[in-house]
Amino acid sequence: MSEFRPVATRRAFEDITAQIRDRLMRKSLQSGDRLPAERQLAEQFRVSRNTLREALRSLEIAGLVELKKGASGGAFIREGGGEAVVAGLSDLFRMGAIRPEHLTEARILVGTEVTRLACKRRNKMDLAALEANVRAAQAATGRGETARRAEINYEFHRLLARATRNPVLIVLTDALMEMTRHFVETIGYQPNRYVLPSRRRLLALLRDGDAAGAAKEMEQMLKRLQRSHLASYGKTK
Amino acid sequence: MSEFRPVATRRAFEDITAQIRDRLMRKSLQSGDRLPAERQLAEQFRVSRNTLREALRSLEIAGLVELKKGASGGAFIREGGGEAVVAGLSDLFRMGAIRPEHLTEARILVGTEVTRLACKRRNKMDLAALEANVRAAQAATGRGETARRAEINYEFHRLLARATRNPVLIVLTDALMEMTRHFVETIGYQPNRYVLPSRRRLLALLRDGDAAGAAKEMEQMLKRLQRSHLASYGKTK
DNA sequence: GACTATAATTGGTAGAACCATTGAAAGCAA
DNA sequence: TTGCTTTCAATGGTTCTACCAATTATAGTC
């Protein structure tokens, strides 16, 4: 392995974003803080406003700042929400780098572990939110609102991930659900009779704190979902 | 829940990126393709070159295109590498939204499942690469090259993830290793005596195809690593 | 005090110009 | 012909100026 590294003629906007990222890491900039106005910042960095705007655009896409118009507007530091990660994985799915079989497999592995951990950490508020979600799912099913039903189902997994208190699992689950939404839109939503009963069994296991049982229930449900999803996909292909 | 959605006064550059993303999804644009030159594209979209450049910058940060200078340069469609996802999670770690205990916990959960799946799918080339990695780790340890040793260790996990053939797990592992690198840089690399023996046991289990055993071995090693990492972190805090 | 019109601030867009890098084509020499 | 050098055109990177559009603070009015 060579001791050299590729020469990197850094572009001006990259230098700017690096400086701001550095201040973020050193807590010299925190969420909610506002950066000076574009014209002022451009002067401080000794670059044109165009170049500065490319830097801000880059930070905005990365989810680090939010740009607001008008007086008392400007670039505000966002708190880490993970939108960039979700968008990045969605792009991979759109481009075909992540295929349906990869997505469903990852959902099984991640969903099972999320369920296991959520069962150990969930509090009463988590349980209440999950129960409300299942009630909403039942109501939507009764009214035949399939699209709404799908959204409620995704939300269940997001709620469960939040109960783990681990942001890595939270943002990963958000991304998996976003990809699943894209996927299901292409193959068409298929009503089924097994998700809702599984949810009820899962709720009981979560209440009892039976982590192994809850994980098993989730795993089996996700495997069943995988089979039907991939079957639908095979037909449309 | 309301039926309305927030009004979104779309900015020009967002319209442009949406159009290009759409062509990517419909395979009308594929990796390796080259977009027209900036001046030409600006004319086609009926926007100024500034606005078009902001759109290209956005796509570049998202990892969808690569910009090259010079004659026969331009914006080239990249194949999905997941750099944006890695960068996004790294940002979350830098900003403190993901904390060391979250990182180490996620590594245990993901690493265990990656090992299990890799054990089922690995071929001879995967095994050879992993064995070469462990040999390199031993050599680096013998020469006392701690920084190089750390890099080789991260590479082991990346190689293992690639053996799963699942891009979601691959990019996730890449991101976890990148965050770990940041983390270890701040707490200082601690040489240890248990990783290398664990690697040898793991290799044997991978060769035998003992998925459960390999997963267990990885899990125990990662938990031990977690304890020492968090202990070091507690001292520096 | 509540409402309204005004003004100031700020991000969004446009257009032209120039620089720096890159690679291909033309020219030249052996 | 072959190989090297020079030239040149294409392209991204950067700057500057001007104006538009949205937003909010502020002064003014009833």
Side-chain angles (χ1 to χ4, degrees), chain B residues 118-137:
Chain B
C119 190
K120 294 175 186 168
R121 305 224 172 119
R122 89 285 182 280
N123 59 26
K124 288 182 180 174
M125 283 181 56
D126 296 319
L127 285 175
L130 290 168
E131 286 164 3
N133 174 280
V134 174
R135 279 196 300 273

Side-chain angles (χ1 to χ4, degrees), chain A residues 187-235:
Chain A
I187 63 173
Y189 180 77
Q190 310 278 329
N192 64 70
R193 302 176 179 282
Y194 53 88
V195 171
L196 208 45
S198 168
R199 289 278 197 271
R200 293 205 192 87
R201 287 193 298 273
L202 189 59
L203 277 183
L205 292 163
L206 290 170
R207 265 193 297 265
D208 294 348
D210 180 356
K216 194 70 193 167
E217 176 63 42
M218 177 60 87
E219 184 181 11
Q220 288 177 343
M221 193 279 286
L222 287 173
K223 282 184 175 172
R224 199 160 170 183
L225 207 57
Q226 178 187 46
R227 281 195 295 274
S228 64
H229 275 170
L230 293 185
S232 299
Y233 178 64
K235 289 175 190 166

Side-chain angles (χ1 to χ4, degrees), chain A residues 11-12 47-48 50-51 69-72:
Chain A
R11 291 170 288 186
V47 296
S48 74
N50 284 344
T51 300
K69 270 192 293 196
S72 76

Side-chain angles (χ1 to χ4, degrees), chain B residues 44-65:
Chain B
Q44 289 185 25
F45 282 115
R46 306 283 184 83
V47 296
S48 75
R49 200 174 150 216
N50 285 340
T51 301
L52 179 88
R53 277 178 63 80
E54 288 190 21
L56 289 180
R57 187 69 60 228
S58 159
L59 292 170
E60 186 193 23
I61 299 301
L64 296 179
V65 305

Side-chain angles (χ1 to χ4, degrees), chain A residues 107-108 110-112 114-115 118 129-130 133-134 149-164 169-178 180 195 198-199 202 217-219 221-223 225 229:
Chain A
R107 278 194 67 184
I108 294 170
V110 174
T112 301
V114 162
T115 303
L130 290 167
N133 175 280
V134 174
R149 168 66 194 280
E151 280 306 318
I152 294 172
N153 279 348
Y154 305 146
E155 181 65 15
F156 183 88
H157 293 279
R158 282 192 286 263
L159 289 171
L160 204 58
R162 266 140 191 86
T164 67
L169 298 178
I170 292 172
V171 66
L172 178 58
T173 299
D174 285 352
L176 290 172
M177 290 306 114
E178 180 65 22
T180 300
V195 171
S198 168
R199 289 278 197 271
L202 189 59
E217 176 63 42
M218 177 60 87
E219 184 181 11
M221 193 279 286
L222 287 173
K223 282 184 175 172
L225 207 57
H229 275 170

Side-chain angles (χ1 to χ4, degrees), chain A residues 58-72:
Chain A
S58 157
L59 293 170
E60 187 192 22
I61 299 302
L64 296 179
V65 304
E66 184 178 3
L67 273 47
K68 292 181 184 174
K69 270 192 293 196
S72 76

Side-chain angles (χ1 to χ4, degrees), chain A residues 10 87 111 119 139 159 163 181 225:
Chain A
R10 200 134 74 158
C119 191
L159 289 171
R181 171 187 290 136
L225 207 57

